[in-house]
Amino acid sequence: MHWDQMRDTPEDLRKRATRLRRGIGQLGILESIIAAAEGPWLGAMDADGRGAAELRMHLAGKYRLLVVVTSAGKISLVHVNSLVKGDGGEKILSTKTALRKGFGEEKMPRPQEWVEYAVRWVSDVSGEVDQRAVVEWQLAGADRKLTTVTDVIESLRISLREQEKVRDERAAEVAELKAELKYLNSIADRQPAVIAEPRPAPVAEPAPIVESQPAAEELVPERVGAAAV
């Protein structure tokens, strides 16, 4: 759950811890941390059903706390973050060495002291934020959400106007085609139907008569006789 979505007060968290006590036998550690949260803290608690639990709390978003308790009743992670101090305000106590953070020259508390460390941290920062700061933080978050919703609505309006323009163009095209089709149908209705008559079968013409010519050999004696006379 995101920090902005956490709405449970310390009293709500205590009630939730009481309801979960039957399934989780190690909530006493988290209850001691919740009891130290004086002021307008908000948070959320979650359990995995196998005895492990997780507590998240924040103070106007400026101070954040994450504590994970195992089913054996030991803290496996304490993550505190003072956002007002920048990067130097983040510290992580973890059973995993690679996750530890924020303890340079400062001696890191031993695992047996992690509960006291978390309780002391919550108690120390509780007096640094009043209810007005909480309301200001909530107002900033609500204003961001309102801006986001407004931007989404404006984008939808622009898209809707574009779609309406496309719709009008298509409607004009459809109307033009309907008018043209109606005109063509009216012309076809006014013209009489033309019945095609069968064409007569073609008559074959007689072949031309070609007169035979005497051969050249037959004409030679006549020319010779005429010359002798």
Side-chain angles (χ1 to χ4, degrees), residues 1 6 12 20 43 61 70-72 78 85-86 98 115 121 124 127 140 145 201:
M1 180 182 294
M6 298 178 185
D12 296 331
L20 293 175
T70 66
S71 58
V78 176
K85 298 180 180 180
V115 178
W121 185 88
D124 291 343
K145 294 178 182 178

Side-chain angles (χ1 to χ4, degrees), residues 6-139:
M6 298 178 185
R7 292 292 182 267
D8 290 348
T9 64
E11 181 62 27
D12 296 331
L13 294 173
R14 281 192 287 269
K15 292 179 181 179
R16 178 169 174 77
T18 301
R19 290 195 299 268
L20 293 175
R21 183 176 293 280
R22 292 182 179 179
I24 304 173
Q26 307 299 338
L27 288 181
I29 296 175
L30 300 182
E31 288 177 329
S32 63
I33 299 173
I34 296 171
E38 299 292 338
W41 284 86
L42 296 174
M45 183 182 297
D46 191 17
D48 62 2
R50 297 189 298 270
E54 177 182 287
L55 171 66
R56 290 175 179 265
M57 294 195 307
H58 70 91
L59 190 58
K62 297 180 179 180
Y63 298 96
R64 297 176 179 178
L65 169 72
L66 167 62
V67 179
V68 178
V69 181
T70 66
S71 58
K74 296 181 179 180
I75 293 181
S76 61
L77 176 69
V78 176
H79 186 177
V80 297
N81 198 343
S82 302
L83 300 181
V84 294
K85 298 180 180 180
D87 296 337
E90 184 179 17
K91 294 183 178 180
I92 300 177
L93 303 171
S94 175
T95 54
K96 298 180 181 179
T97 306
L99 296 179
R100 296 173 183 175
K101 183 179 181 180
F103 296 93
E105 298 179 356
E106 182 183 357
K107 183 179 179 180
M108 188 181 70
R110 295 176 300 177
Q112 305 91 287
E113 302 172 344
W114 289 0
V115 178
E116 290 77 5
Y117 178 86
V119 171
R120 185 170 62 254
W121 185 88
V122 170
S123 179
D124 291 343
V125 302
S126 290
E128 298 187 17
V129 178
D130 56 10
Q131 184 63 32
R132 184 181 64 178
V134 175
V135 174
E136 290 176 349
W137 176 77
Q138 291 176 335
L139 175 60

